[in-house]
Structure formats: C-alpha cells, structure tokens
Amino acid sequence: MADTIFGKIARGEIPTEFLYEDDRAVAFRDVNPQAPVHVLIIPREPITRLSATGDDRAELLGHLLGVARKVAAQEGLEDFRLVVNDGAGAGQTVFHLHLHVLGGRPLGWPPG
Ligand code: AMP
C-alpha cells in the first residue's frame, strides 16, 4: 500500500505527541478537531481501511477499541462517539485505518 502521513506518524518520522502508545497502536490529537476532544487511534500496522481487514485482525481491532476506551477515560469523557470512515464515499481521506474519538460537546444524530 502507499505510505500515508499516519504511517509516518506511527513510525515517529513526524514529531507528534502521543496520548497513548503501545506496540500495536498510537493515539494523537486530530489536527482539525471537530469537537473539544478529537483523538485519532491508529494501528502501527499500515492497514488501509476497516473493510480491508479479515477475521485474522479481530484481536487487533478489539485492541483498538480498548485503546479508545482508555483514551476517552484519560480525556475525562463520560460520553463519546467513535467514528470509522471506511472509504472516500464515507469521508475517509487518509488511507491508514483510524478511529476518531469525539467528545466534550453534545453530539447530534444522525451524523452528516
Ligand atoms: P478521515 O477523513 O476519516 O480519513 O480522517 C482523517 C483525519 O486526519 C481528519 O480528521 C484530519 O483532520 C486528520 N489529520 C490529517 N493529517 C493529520 C495530522 N498530520 N495530524 C493529525 N491529524 C491529521
């Protein structure tokens, strides 16, 4: 797959403050926040998008959800939203799988 800016961030090639990191994932603030708290969680492995994964990635995907839970707690969020944009038609612009953690304001539904 083509390298992305998130690949560079995950490898430490672009200086970025990590709110959380372990051997499989890192979390950092979105550069263009859509809510008072807007954190991105990415696997270190360069997976393009959720629909490119198979059942062999179930453990990693579960891990990313656990990281989201930890980051939300760390940010003091009682309520929050997780978003995965899968594909350009759904708003995906960076083709390195990422979870958006959004919170800190009332979040309307349905989303745009
Ligand atoms: P998506 O549209 O779901 O692919 O989300 C990509 C997100 O990455 C957007 O919310 C951007 O604001 C964010 N973004 C792009 N470049 C960076 C960067 N260098 N650091 C942090 N967030 C970024």
Side-chain angles (χ1 to χ4, degrees):
M1 68 171 271
D3 194 17
T4 68
I5 193 156
F6 288 179
K8 292 181 171 63
I9 288 173
R11 294 193 301 274
E13 293 168 14
I14 295 176
T16 304
E17 183 192 351
F18 291 152
L19 305 180
Y20 176 93
E21 67 176 310
D22 62 27
D23 59 330
R24 285 177 287 174
V26 302
F28 53 92
R29 293 196 195 281
D30 195 294
V31 74
N32 182 25
Q34 302 302 311
V37 176
H38 187 170
V39 177
L40 300 173
I41 296 164
I42 67 172
R44 288 191 187 272
E45 189 182 337
I47 296 167
T48 54
R49 55 192 286 184
L50 182 62
S51 58
T53 65
D55 288 346
D56 58 329
R57 289 290 188 277
E59 211 269 337
L60 174 63
L61 295 174
H63 181 69
L64 297 178
L65 283 180
V67 173
R69 173 175 46 76
K70 288 189 186 76
V71 167
Q74 198 172 296
E75 292 293 308
L77 299 176
E78 288 183 15
D79 302 320
F80 61 93
R81 179 172 295 164
L82 291 185
V83 172
V84 176
N85 294 324
D86 189 68
Q92 186 174 5
T93 58
V94 180
F95 281 78
H96 182 127
L97 175 65
H98 50 282
L99 277 59
H100 297 256
V101 181
L102 296 151
R105 66 167 170 80
L107 296 164
W109 192 263

